[in-house]
Amino acid sequence: MTNHSETTGSSENGDITGRARPDQEVQTSYDCRGGAEHQVTLRTPAELADALPYLLGYRPEDSIVLVALHDRDGRGRFGGRARLGIPAHADDWPAAATQLVHGLVTGSERRGARPEQMVAYLCQEPQPGETGRQVMARLRPLAQRLRIECGSLDVPVIEALCISDGRFWSYCCDDAACCPAEGVPMGLPGTSVLAAAATYAGIQVRGSLRELRARLLPWENSAAVEQEVALDAAGMTLVRRILDEASRADVAEETLDLAKRLMDRLAEAAPVSGSLMADLRDDQLLGHDEAARLILGLQDRTTRDRAAEWMEGDEASSALRLWRALARRCVGPYSEHAAAPLTLAGWVAWSTGDELEAREALAMALGADPDYLFARLLHQACNEGLDPESIRRCLRAERGGRDRGPTDTAWSEDCQDADEPVDGQATEPTPTAGDHPGRRRRTRSSASADGVRRRARTRGREPGAGVVGPTSSVRSRTPAGGVRPGDASTSRARPRVAEKGAGGRAGVCQEDTRAEEHGAGGEG
């Protein structure tokens, strides 16, 4: 589950005066450039429906969305938002409703503001042969379950809307003049007063989550075969060198030097318009062999941690583009290797203020490898709305310590506990030559000398383990069940070698109820 903090969209983007009926008003305020506040009055359920993308920053698909309302001087204020994928099976709806409602209420309580009321949205497009009205009827039991769960916590749902096929329906209003049975057409995107106010305030709606994930998913084209061959060839030499204590440091330096050269190459490229064209341009700037060496080199924990230091300033933009491009090249049987570049992409996105991409990338990293501790910790912290500055300080101290030389071991207070296990969490030991890194202990295979494809990720203690906030629920963030984002089907299995000390999966990622939406279906 993704909990959108109260800073999603605008810092305080709403005033609610009651049910959004034609004779009542909802006022939404946006902080505009220069510090001025622009008020927008919402009078109807249609305007509440139109407000949803601006509350989340994207257009949700196949989603349950809850928006908390808080009282302020007799008026309401939009608070936290939470989204969960709609489970494919109706039997899972009660559990999903319980998870979403309790997650948003308890999360709001931790931030010191318990909701007084809720607005609920169900967003799903019709299946072939189905109409939007039939979608609304099919999802009615889910809407009712949400209302029951909210009511059990004394947080009434004042409006519940179904948005499907360009129309919306209200589950709370039976006034045919306001909410007819055939639904009410949605306005064209970007044409409402609210859209104009959001644009003036600098708030952007970034399309759908599917479009965002497409930038991070592995290739499924003819070039994927060539990339897989390059990964095979690189693995025949790099894996053994990473496992050899004498050459591991050399591989790390070579990986980081190559990454820096590629970042410079990306930075010098001519700009293009549109994310699709930008990704195609970046893909053309990376060779298959270069990408393969980087993907395998980043499986080493220490190398990955040093790469995470490119998190701010001019370096961050090029680093994020590089990590996205590498994630797209973790093709076929190498899909699990995407955990490292996806985690780095999520970290840089979070560090630079893009929480939406951060949550998606980190959830996809957990989909690729549910035991990836760095991704799990960052996903937890991002969803809790914590400040990434504490982790940035830790990484800055590590970088500064290296620059000063091995005799200077000054560390910031934030880093003192960074290498300690989290809440009893098993640490990830660095492998010896007899331990092939990155393999899960449930799948075993003897080591071979023929350079067979295998993962070379070194397990170790993760940066920021002592600084990313509450640890009591860290293990509950692991996605469970279903097809995970970032997974790629493979036609043949790859030999795996046991790893030491890697914890198994424990708990459930909070937004996991549908296969396409993080684990079993939620948003990361």
Side-chain angles (χ1 to χ4, degrees):
M1 178 181 71
T2 295
N3 287 321
H4 300 270
S5 71
E6 294 178 21
T7 59
T8 301
S10 60
S11 58
E12 283 189 345
N13 55 348
D15 289 322
I16 303 282
T17 58
R19 289 278 295 277
R21 300 276 74 85
D23 58 340
Q24 296 178 321
E25 296 181 352
V26 176
Q27 289 187 326
T28 301
S29 60
Y30 284 97
D31 293 328
C32 301
R33 300 182 184 91
E37 189 179 75
H38 187 76
Q39 295 281 343
V40 178
T41 300
L42 308 180
R43 296 182 174 85
T44 66
E47 290 171 329
L48 266 183
D50 179 74
L52 180 58
Y54 303 97
L55 294 175
L56 299 181
Y58 60 92
R59 301 188 186 281
E61 299 172 321
D62 289 344
S63 300
I64 313 166
V65 180
L66 287 181
V67 180
L69 305 179
H70 303 284
D71 182 77
R72 184 178 64 184
D73 299 328
R75 300 159 65 189
R77 173 179 58 83
F78 284 135
R81 282 80 87 190
R83 192 203 70 89
L84 188 65
I86 297 177
H89 302 289
D91 291 344
D92 296 326
W93 290 354
T98 299
Q99 180 184 9
L100 188 65
V101 171
H102 286 256
L104 180 55
V105 172
T106 57
S108 298
E109 288 175 337
R110 281 197 299 271
R111 291 188 288 269
R114 192 176 196 275
E116 280 81 24
Q117 297 172 321
M118 290 280 192
V119 175
Y121 298 86
L122 299 179
C123 307
Q124 189 173 74
E125 290 305 299
Q127 298 296 322
E130 190 178 32
T131 66
R133 185 173 179 178
Q134 290 171 328
V135 172
M136 179 274 296
R138 175 167 53 80
L139 296 180
R140 184 181 293 277
L142 176 55
Q144 183 62 19
R145 190 70 199 185
L146 289 169
R147 298 175 71 181
I148 291 172
E149 287 295 334
C150 288
S152 69
L153 298 178
D154 294 325
V155 184
V157 174
I158 63 165
E159 184 59 277
L161 299 174
C162 176
I163 300 175
S164 180
D165 197 23
R167 292 174 173 266
F168 78 87
W169 290 260
S170 172
Y171 291 112
C172 298
C173 177
D174 56 5
D175 184 352
C178 174
C179 300
E182 65 273 16
V184 179
M186 298 282 292
L188 292 175
T191 60
S192 66
V193 175
L194 178 59
T199 301
Y200 182 66
I203 298 169
Q204 297 181 349
V205 176
R206 300 178 56 183
S208 68
L209 293 180
R210 185 177 290 112
E211 294 168 346
L212 181 58
R213 292 191 199 102
R215 307 190 71 183
L216 302 169
L217 288 172
W219 284 347
E220 293 182 353
N221 53 24
S222 59
V225 177
E226 299 175 25
Q227 184 61 63
E228 184 176 337
V229 172
L231 285 162
D232 288 344
M236 294 180 69
T237 57
L238 281 182
V239 170
R240 293 180 184 177
R241 293 183 63 202
I242 292 173
L243 294 173
D244 187 345
E245 292 286 351
S247 58
R248 182 181 300 153
D250 292 338
V251 176
E253 291 300 327
E254 292 167 8
T255 300
L256 293 168
D257 288 345
L258 176 59
K260 193 65 176 71
R261 291 199 305 273
L262 292 179
M263 287 168 54
D264 292 340
R265 188 186 303 171
L266 294 174
E268 294 167 359
V272 297
S273 60
S275 60
L276 176 60
M277 297 304 298
D279 291 343
L280 290 174
R281 174 205 56 198
D282 292 347
D283 289 339
Q284 293 172 355
L285 292 173
L286 270 64
H288 295 309
D289 293 338
E290 293 172 325
R293 295 201 303 273
L294 274 185
I295 289 169
L296 294 176
L298 289 172
Q299 306 309 307
D300 177 73
R301 175 192 62 85
T302 304
T303 307
R304 180 212 62 201
D305 292 354
R306 289 180 61 184
E309 296 168 6
W310 297 320
M311 59 191 171
E312 54 192 345
D314 295 336
E315 293 176 329
S317 176
S318 298
L320 180 56
R321 289 165 58 189
L322 179 59
W323 307 145
R324 287 192 196 119
L326 293 181
R328 293 193 293 270
R329 290 173 181 255
C330 293
V331 297
Y334 292 93
S335 62
E336 190 176 90
H337 289 65
L342 284 170
T343 301
L344 289 171
W347 161 237
V348 176
W350 185 33
S351 177
T352 54
D354 189 348
E355 293 187 8
L356 176 57
E357 181 168 0
R359 284 190 295 264
E360 288 304 305
L362 293 170
M364 291 174 70
L366 289 173
D369 183 355
D371 298 328
Y372 207 70
L373 181 58
F374 192 24
R376 193 187 309 174
L377 292 170
L378 291 174
H379 190 239
Q380 165 88 18
C382 186
N383 269 348
E384 292 293 336
L386 302 182
D387 189 346
E389 178 58 25
S390 58
I391 306 176
R392 283 195 294 261
R393 283 198 297 266
C394 181
L395 292 172
R396 288 190 202 110
E398 292 190 53
R399 191 174 191 174
R402 274 197 317 278
D403 293 341
R404 286 188 292 269
T407 58
D408 191 338
T409 57
W411 286 74
S412 70
E413 292 182 2
D414 292 303
C415 300
Q416 291 295 327
D417 298 325
D419 286 341
E420 296 300 320
V422 180
D423 193 31
Q425 177 80 33
T427 57
E428 301 173 301
T430 301
T432 64
D435 298 325
H436 288 261
R439 292 305 180 189
R440 305 198 191 149
R441 59 173 177 250
R442 63 175 176 267
T443 321
R444 298 177 180 269
S445 171
S446 60
S448 64
D450 60 357
V452 69
R453 298 177 191 130
R454 61 182 62 126
R455 192 166 173 195
R457 188 181 75 234
T458 341
R459 294 283 189 175
R461 293 167 297 192
E462 306 287 349
V467 298
V468 292
T471 59
S472 60
S473 59
V474 164
R475 285 184 292 273
S476 69
R477 298 287 177 171
T478 304
V483 180
R484 304 183 188 92
D487 282 356
S489 59
T490 60
S491 58
R492 54 191 186 278
R494 292 290 179 254
R496 307 225 172 170
V497 184
E499 79 172 341
K500 296 181 180 179
R505 295 174 62 184
V508 191
C509 178
Q510 270 196 9
E511 196 172 337
D512 293 3
T513 53
R514 185 172 61 81
E516 184 185 347
E517 304 276 348
H518 306 326
E523 174 187 344

